[in-house]
Amino acid sequence: MTRTITVAAAQLGPIQLAEPRAEAVGRMVRLMEHAHRRGVELVVFPELALTTFFPRHYLEDRAEADRWFETSLPSNETAPLFEAARRYGISFHLGYAEKTPDGHHYNTAVLVGPGGEIMLKYRKVHLPGHADYLPHRKVQHLEKRYFEVGDLGFPVIRAPLGGQQVNAGLMICNDRRWPEAWRVMGLQSVELVMLGYNTPSTNQDAAGFEAHHLRVAHSHLSIQAGAYQNSTFAVATAKAGTEDGCELFGNSIIVNPQGEIMAEATSWSDELITADCDLDRCTLGRTTIFAFDRHRRPEAYGRILEQVGAVEPPVWTPTAAGASTR
Ligand code: CDT
């Protein structure tokens, strides 16, 4: 008997600044209905799925940004999602801005079970962008202004999803570009990584050195490599389209443990893509080429934990060459 779970990436088209949460939630509930009709057991929504991607907007008074944060889940406005999950027996992943009771702010994702219970929470670790207004930028990216660095590590939990026990893990957007995030989850035997993203389709820092089409290619490359090198499925869901005049790419994907794309969104609007994931497909990689217990060499990886930025290597000299060939 296979351990198969049917998953969906529920891509969202743009959510404009003026769009109320209730409207966004209504669109998400419609995607859940659609998912139910297609036999889906787990739906993955994007990062910061309830509002526009507000870190593009600079507010001098940081506290004013609290209007974009949730202080509880479910709330009156998000309750319909939890009700839909119960109605259809579907689990879901939701990205949102979290304000804790003691006043901390995080870019957060939760995995919610079909009974509406929160089974896993993650707070984004790799926050891209900047904390202050940068006049040379056409569009700001103020994640470092509005969020604190997540304090929950990269958690994985064995959770009942769609009638299976699944080792499920969460990361958010920019984390997908960091192999460390994937490996920390790989070391917890993750079988299904869920992640949402909001990625501008233009790299303002590229200055002509990055071809436009590489934006999507780099996103896919990171997810496919992370899934392959850690023998896991991955569901990566975009918020897409032109939001507050700024274009976000879509191209949501579901990837298998061989790093192959099983399904990809073809619009930059609300769209559901699905795949049947046989979790036993995770076994091949983790018992052969990526059998961590047999092949990893942590004694050679010290710099990963000891260093943040890169240092220059020693300059070659005949003595140094002699040392390296001893
Ligand atoms: N949301 C998010 O993390 N986006 C980043 C783009 C940052 S560009 C300053 C990403 O890695 O997709």
Side-chain angles (χ1 to χ4, degrees), residues 1-314:
M1 201 169 88
T2 61
R3 289 174 65 223
T4 298
I5 173 170
T6 302
V7 302
Q11 180 174 285
L12 290 175
I15 300 178
Q16 307 303 339
L17 190 56
E19 182 169 332
R21 274 179 186 65
E23 213 172 287
V25 166
R27 287 163 54 186
M28 294 162 76
V29 168
R30 282 194 288 284
L31 285 165
M32 283 178 89
E33 287 163 6
H34 190 178
H36 170 64
R37 287 198 299 274
R38 285 167 66 168
V40 168
E41 295 161 305
L42 169 69
V43 172
V44 178
F45 291 112
E47 173 192 34
L48 300 176
L50 300 170
T51 64
T52 199
F53 186 71
F54 64 84
R56 73 169 68 89
H57 296 290
Y58 176 77
L59 294 179
E60 181 70 36
D61 179 3
R62 159 77 200 66
E64 279 182 38
D66 278 2
R67 63 173 181 261
W68 288 309
F69 284 76
E70 312 303 312
T71 51
S72 65
L73 264 193
S75 57
N76 286 343
E77 284 153 319
T78 54
L81 284 173
F82 290 73
E83 287 156 15
R86 267 193 284 275
R87 187 161 62 245
Y88 302 128
I90 291 179
S91 303
F92 70 95
H93 158 285
L94 177 70
Y96 68 104
E98 176 191 16
K99 183 177 177 192
T100 66
D102 53 351
H104 293 283
H105 296 81
Y106 299 104
N107 185 341
T108 297
V110 285
L111 173 62
V112 182
E117 65 284 14
I118 292 179
M119 298 194 289
L120 188 61
K121 178 183 277 194
Y122 167 67
R123 293 172 174 153
K124 187 173 181 179
V125 167
H126 297 104
L127 297 174
H130 43 100
D132 297 314
Y133 183 80
L134 297 181
H136 70 274
R137 285 184 70 94
K138 279 205 199 115
V139 182
Q140 305 295 305
H141 196 109
L142 292 154
E143 288 197 57
K144 287 192 197 299
R145 180 176 191 81
Y146 296 128
F147 303 119
E148 294 159 68
V149 172
D151 58 353
L152 301 174
F154 292 99
V156 176
I157 197 157
R158 191 162 179 79
L161 294 174
Q164 313 290 338
Q165 291 291 329
V166 183
N167 298 349
L170 308 176
M171 64 169 75
I172 300 177
C173 193
N174 188 262
D175 291 322
R176 73 195 187 283
R177 306 186 195 271
W178 297 89
E180 296 89 338
W182 291 93
R183 184 47 50 90
V184 170
M185 291 205 267
L187 286 167
Q188 299 169 80
S189 306
V190 73
E191 295 172 312
L192 180 61
V193 172
M194 288 157 250
L195 71 105
Y197 61 94
N198 284 263
T199 304
S201 42
T202 304
N203 180 355
Q204 290 183 63
D205 302 316
F209 289 103
E210 187 182 273
H212 195 61
H213 72 275
L214 291 177
R215 293 295 280 169
V216 174
H218 289 160
S219 177
H220 286 183
L221 180 68
S222 304
I223 297 159
Q224 291 177 259
Y228 166 63
Q229 292 168 348
N230 295 281
S231 313
T232 180
F233 287 89
V235 184
T237 309
K239 175 131 65 60
T242 303
E243 203 179 71
D244 307 340
C246 170
E247 192 181 82
L248 303 168
F249 67 72
N251 302 80
S252 302
I253 49 175
I254 302 173
V255 174
N256 72 17
Q258 299 288 352
E260 295 169 296
I261 295 176
M262 304 170 78
E264 178 171 356
T266 53
S267 75
W268 285 10
S269 319
D270 292 4
E271 179 178 347
L272 195 82
I273 58 168
T274 66
D276 297 329
C277 302
D278 174 0
L279 299 164
D280 289 334
R281 294 288 175 102
C282 299
T283 305
L284 175 64
R286 65 186 54 190
T287 54
T288 57
I289 188 89
F290 296 118
F292 293 159
D293 54 341
R294 284 189 284 132
H295 304 311
R296 287 185 77 250
R297 291 285 167 244
E299 68 275 16
Y301 309 152
R303 283 183 192 273
I304 298 274
L305 283 185
E306 287 155 16
Q307 252 176 256
V308 180
V311 296
E312 289 296 318

